[in-house]
Amino acid sequence: MRAVVVRSFGGPEVVEVVETALPEPGPGQVRIKVAAAALNPVDAAYGAGVLVPLPESGALGLGWDVAGTVDTVGAGAPFAAGAEVVALAYGPGTVKAQADHVVVDSSAVAPAPASVDAVLASSVPLNTLTAAQALDLLDLAPGSTLLVTGAAGAVGGYAVQLAHRAGITVTGVAGAADEELVRSFGAARFVERGAPAGPFDAVLDAAVLGADALAHVRDGGDYVGVIPHAVPVGVRGIRVQAVEVTADGNRLAELVKLVDEGVLTPRVARTYPLEQAPEAYRRLAEGGVRGRLVLVP
C-alpha cells in the first residue's frame, strides 16, 4: 500500500509517497481504509523536523486527520468492519493517516458524521478537538468575553462556533476580507488583524500571536495557545496555558454530532490525489488557504 512519509527533514520537497507493508491492528486497535486525510500545520512541522526525530525505520509518516471505513479490528475493539468513522491518528509513526490504510487505537475513533461526505469529515478530528480542549482550559462562564485570533482559520473558526454555543461573547480577529465569514460563525464583534481590541476576559490565540495577544487580555485574565511549550510569559496576573490535543473518541463523537446539527462547519479548500501529496504540501506552505487541503487515496 501507499503512504506519505518524509525520510529527511525539510520543506515540501522532502514529502514522498512510498510503498509500504499493510499495517495490522493489535488488541484494541482498528485498521481504517482511508477515504480522505486532511493536511494540517502540524504535518508540515513534522516534515520540517520541528517536533519529533526520525524513527529507527528512517521514515516518518504524515497525517493526523482521517475519515474512512473500518476494514479490520483487533481484539476488544468496539467497532465492526464496515463502520464509517473519523479518527485522530495522534503522535508519530511510520504510517499515519495520509495513506491507503492506517491503524489507530479504537479510543481515538468516532462514528463519521452523517451530514457530510468523507472529504469534509476528514477535516473534523484534530481541529475540533483542539478548539474544544482549548476552551476547556479557559473554563469560561456564559457571558464571559473571549477574543479568538485567527478566527477565519480551522481551529479559530471552530472555537468561535463552540464558544458562541456556550453563551460566551466572542470577538474574532482576522483579515478584513474574512469579516462576514467570522460573523457567520457567531462572533458578536469582528476586529481586523492588527487593530486594537479589548480588554477581554480571555484570548484563544489560534493565530499564534504570542505576547502580542496578551495586550488584549484584562488583568488577571486567561490566555491559551495552540502550540505546547511555546506560550508567552504571563504579565499582569494573566494565566498562560497551551492546549496539547489528546485523542478522545468519546469527545470526538460529541463534536461529530455538532457537525450533524449544523453547529460546526467543516471547510475544505481543495482535494488532491494521494500521489500528489508533495504538491498539496507546497500549497499548504504558501498559506492563505481557507479550509483544509485534503488527500484522497
Side-chain angles (χ1 to χ4, degrees):
M1 67 159 221
R2 301 167 300 165
V4 179
V5 305
V6 295
R7 291 186 283 197
S8 61
F9 291 134
E13 73 282 353
V14 302
V15 175
E16 301 179 60
V17 181
V18 301
E19 290 291 330
T20 190
L22 185 68
E24 295 295 336
Q29 294 183 318
V30 300
R31 187 173 71 203
I32 300 170
K33 179 174 172 53
V34 178
L39 274 67
N40 288 280
V42 68
D43 298 313
Y46 265 41
V50 173
L51 299 177
V52 295
L54 285 173
E56 292 183 4
S57 68
L60 181 66
L62 300 180
W64 288 50
D65 274 334
V66 60
T69 304
V70 174
D71 74 344
T72 303
V73 300
F79 288 90
E84 294 184 2
V85 296
V86 291
L88 183 68
Y90 180 85
T94 55
V95 174
K96 295 256 293 176
Q98 293 166 16
D100 289 315
H101 294 80
V102 63
V103 168
V104 296
D105 290 339
S106 59
S107 61
V109 181
S115 59
V116 299
D117 64 14
V119 169
L120 283 166
S122 75
S123 70
V124 170
L126 177 59
N127 297 142
T128 62
L129 284 168
T130 300
Q133 292 171 9
L135 289 169
D136 289 347
L137 288 177
L138 291 174
D139 193 25
L140 296 171
S144 300
T145 58
L146 171 68
L147 183 73
V148 176
T149 71
V155 172
Y158 285 136
V160 172
Q161 292 181 311
L162 288 170
H164 172 68
R165 180 177 183 270
I168 297 165
T169 302
V170 186
T171 296
V173 178
D178 292 315
E179 179 173 358
E180 182 178 352
L181 175 67
V182 172
R183 288 189 181 276
S184 76
F185 294 151
R189 182 182 168 206
F190 175 84
V191 175
E192 187 175 349
R193 189 184 302 121
F200 299 90
D201 293 321
V203 60
L204 194 161
D205 188 18
V208 197
L209 301 182
D212 289 345
L214 295 180
H216 305 298
V217 183
R218 65 168 173 80
D219 293 356
D222 284 272
Y223 167 102
V224 64
V226 295
I227 301 179
H229 315 301
V231 297
V233 176
V235 295
R236 296 182 286 108
I238 296 171
R239 184 177 60 154
V240 172
Q241 303 177 85
V243 61
E244 185 162 4
V245 69
T246 57
D248 184 340
N250 291 331
R251 187 69 177 280
L252 181 56
E254 296 173 1
L255 295 164
V256 164
K257 289 179 182 178
L258 295 182
V259 172
D260 284 336
E261 293 171 8
V263 174
L264 297 177
T265 310
R267 292 174 290 151
V268 168
R270 182 177 173 183
T271 62
Y272 295 82
L274 187 69
E275 61 269 19
Q276 292 181 13
E279 181 180 341
Y281 274 88
R282 283 191 289 271
R283 179 64 189 93
L284 181 66
E286 291 171 359
V289 179
R290 287 291 173 261
R292 284 286 169 243
L293 305 174
V294 175
L295 296 176
V296 179

